[in-house]
Amino acid sequence: MKLTTQKRLAAQVLKVGMSRVWCDPDFIDEISLAITKDDIRRLIDEGAIQAKQKQGVSRGRARHVIKQKRKGQRRGPGTKKGKATSVLSGKDRWIRKIRPLRKELKKLRSEGIITPRVYRMLYLKAKGNAFRNTAHLRTYIKEQKLEAK
């Protein structure tokens, strides 16, 4: 049974689209006889015609992603946007590099592996970005034979 006219009238009364009008299959004969908006209003009051709930977008996938991010996942190189300095500023990179170098130099000086004069020279070289890391610093000391005798 075609109920297009009834659905159209119901959509106007309910102020929804035609796709959101639901007709109770038990009342189809009664609905098909309804030809005025008053008839439709009566059927709406009886519950024979109803407006379906608006269909939303599921947040299930979004919740899953949030849960993963809380675990520390999804932080790989493919996720990062912008250049390297936007991920870690140049100053922060410098701090991460220079602090271990200076700590290593102090340790070498306190253990007597290098003299205070060599310490000062290496300290200034480190400040001038001459060494990549502590391993590079140690190899430089060995190659240049700067260890205290």
Side-chain angles (χ1 to χ4, degrees):
M1 207 176 280
K2 275 192 173 178
L3 302 172
T4 48
T5 311
Q6 287 79 0
K7 277 196 171 188
R8 183 179 52 77
L9 290 171
Q12 287 174 358
V13 171
L14 292 166
K15 293 187 176 79
V16 295
M18 275 181 66
S19 60
R20 278 183 57 199
V21 175
W22 175 82
C23 299
D24 193 334
D26 300 336
F27 290 86
I28 283 179
D29 297 329
E30 210 175 314
I31 293 168
S32 64
L33 297 172
I35 52 170
T36 65
K37 280 189 179 179
D38 278 334
D39 295 339
I40 298 294
R41 282 190 198 96
R42 184 180 49 78
L43 289 166
I44 290 167
D45 291 339
E46 286 176 19
I49 298 174
Q50 293 173 6
K52 282 188 210 164
Q53 194 173 12
K54 242 184 190 174
Q55 194 170 359
V57 179
S58 171
R59 285 207 38 88
R61 287 182 304 281
R63 275 189 228 105
H64 177 66
V65 168
I66 290 163
K67 203 183 288 182
Q68 283 185 319
K69 282 185 176 179
R70 282 199 197 114
K71 285 183 199 169
Q73 294 174 346
R74 292 173 169 263
R75 294 191 186 278
T79 306
K80 292 179 179 161
K81 292 186 177 180
K83 49 195 202 172
T85 53
S86 65
V87 176
L88 192 69
S89 75
K91 183 171 182 172
D92 286 334
R93 285 200 1 251
W94 171 251
I95 289 167
R96 283 189 186 186
K97 182 193 229 179
I98 198 70
R99 282 181 181 171
L101 285 170
R102 287 177 176 165
K103 197 173 182 182
E104 183 72 14
L105 283 169
K106 280 180 193 135
K107 190 181 88 173
L108 292 171
R109 183 184 60 182
S110 67
E111 289 174 2
I113 296 167
I114 56 171
T115 61
R117 191 167 180 173
V118 171
Y119 164 82
R120 178 54 42 194
M121 185 262 290
L122 292 172
Y123 186 96
L124 292 172
K125 277 193 180 299
K127 183 183 177 184
N129 202 18
F131 309 113
R132 292 186 296 276
N133 48 39
T134 53
H136 185 214
L137 171 70
R138 276 186 244 110
T139 55
Y140 179 83
I141 291 168
K142 278 197 182 100
E143 283 171 5
Q144 301 296 318
K145 297 180 178 75
L146 296 171
E147 297 106 333
K149 298 329 182 233

